[in-house]
Amino acid sequence: MAGRPVVVTVDKDAGVREWDVATWRSETLLALPPEATGIREAHCVVVDGHTLLVLGVSEADALHVWDLSTRGRVAGPLANPRVTVASGIRTVTTPAFHRVVALDGRPVGISPTEFPARGLAVWDILGERRLRWIGGVTSGWPRAEVGEWDGVPVVALTGTRRWRGGERSRVRLVNLRTGTTIEEIPLPARAGALALDAGGHLAVGLDRDVLVLRHWKGHPR
């Protein structure tokens, strides 16, 4: 924050604290209100120059958002996208989000879903609505990372697909704005981990090896 690399920690007793990575000095940014009990997840994201804290709490399975730059509450309680109703049974799975990112001037969360089908939901946190749903998850939960690919905000997903008579592991890059697949890259082995940075580098953990891909003139290399 303010051009400095920091670590933000959240504790129901100590509140929200900022730790300067260079000096390891800490400062209390804000105290949590009584309703912020049973912290399930915390995400920081920079939106239009403001560092927002998205906090998931067990009380009413709700989300709360604070602006750490002004130390004021932005919104909350907000709807949790992982609270679903299926066959008359209310089910809650936590955490709500795999990642929280800035998209077109608002914080959005990437949320694994099982209802109505297995996939990933792109959730407008402040608007309390699903922007789109990304399907194609066939077996097990995919590894997923969010970043940029050729200047486009994407989510990278692992999975398998029938490829020339057999099943092949793959990485699928999906445009977060449109939900369309922009790249599908076959892999020589099953992916165990993913990392995607803003510079267009995609690192894939394959058994004992690491494969690094980058976008080059319209094609991954």
Side-chain angles (χ1 to χ4, degrees):
M1 290 191 291
R4 298 176 294 112
V6 299
V7 173
V8 175
T9 60
V10 180
D11 181 86
K12 66 182 181 64
D13 297 319
V16 180
R17 298 181 66 83
E18 169 194 293
W19 299 77
D20 190 307
V21 173
T23 64
W24 284 115
R25 293 178 179 175
S26 67
E27 177 186 2
T28 299
L29 298 179
L30 56 91
L32 296 178
E35 63 268 24
T37 58
I39 298 169
R40 289 179 171 174
E41 61 186 306
H43 306 272
C44 284
V45 58
V46 178
V47 179
D48 294 335
H50 290 260
T51 302
L52 303 183
L53 171 67
V54 179
L55 198 65
V57 299
S58 60
E59 181 67 26
D61 302 302
L63 301 170
H64 298 263
V65 181
W66 280 272
D67 186 336
L68 297 185
S69 304
T70 63
R71 307 191 185 189
R73 185 190 289 238
V74 176
L78 299 170
N80 184 332
R82 297 296 297 275
V83 179
T84 61
V85 178
S87 302
I89 301 174
R90 183 173 180 272
T91 61
V92 180
T93 308
T94 55
F97 302 118
H98 176 70
R99 291 285 185 274
V100 172
V101 297
L103 182 66
D104 299 329
R106 56 188 167 186
V108 300
I110 310 301
S111 177
T113 64
E114 293 185 11
F115 179 81
R118 181 172 291 178
L120 295 174
V122 182
W123 183 263
D124 182 349
I125 295 173
L126 297 179
E128 300 182 277
R129 63 191 180 99
R130 190 177 73 184
L131 298 175
R132 63 196 49 86
W133 181 77
I134 299 170
V137 178
T138 55
S139 59
W141 284 115
R143 302 288 189 273
E145 281 297 334
V146 179
E148 287 191 3
W149 188 259
D150 194 25
V152 177
V154 299
V155 56
L157 301 167
T158 61
T160 59
R161 181 180 179 183
R162 290 204 168 276
W163 209 288
R164 295 179 182 177
E167 278 200 346
R168 289 284 302 273
S169 295
R170 60 172 179 158
V171 171
R172 185 160 57 106
L173 299 170
V174 180
N175 188 320
L176 282 176
R177 290 194 178 99
T178 64
T180 57
T181 299
I182 61 175
E183 295 277 4
E184 194 167 297
I185 306 166
L187 300 173
R190 185 177 296 275
L194 284 177
L196 180 63
D197 70 7
H201 295 85
L202 174 65
V204 186
L206 303 171
D207 296 329
R208 298 181 180 180
D209 300 316
V210 176
L211 175 66
V212 179
L213 301 168
R214 67 186 177 96
H215 197 274
W216 181 259
K217 296 180 180 180
H219 299 282
R221 292 188 176 182

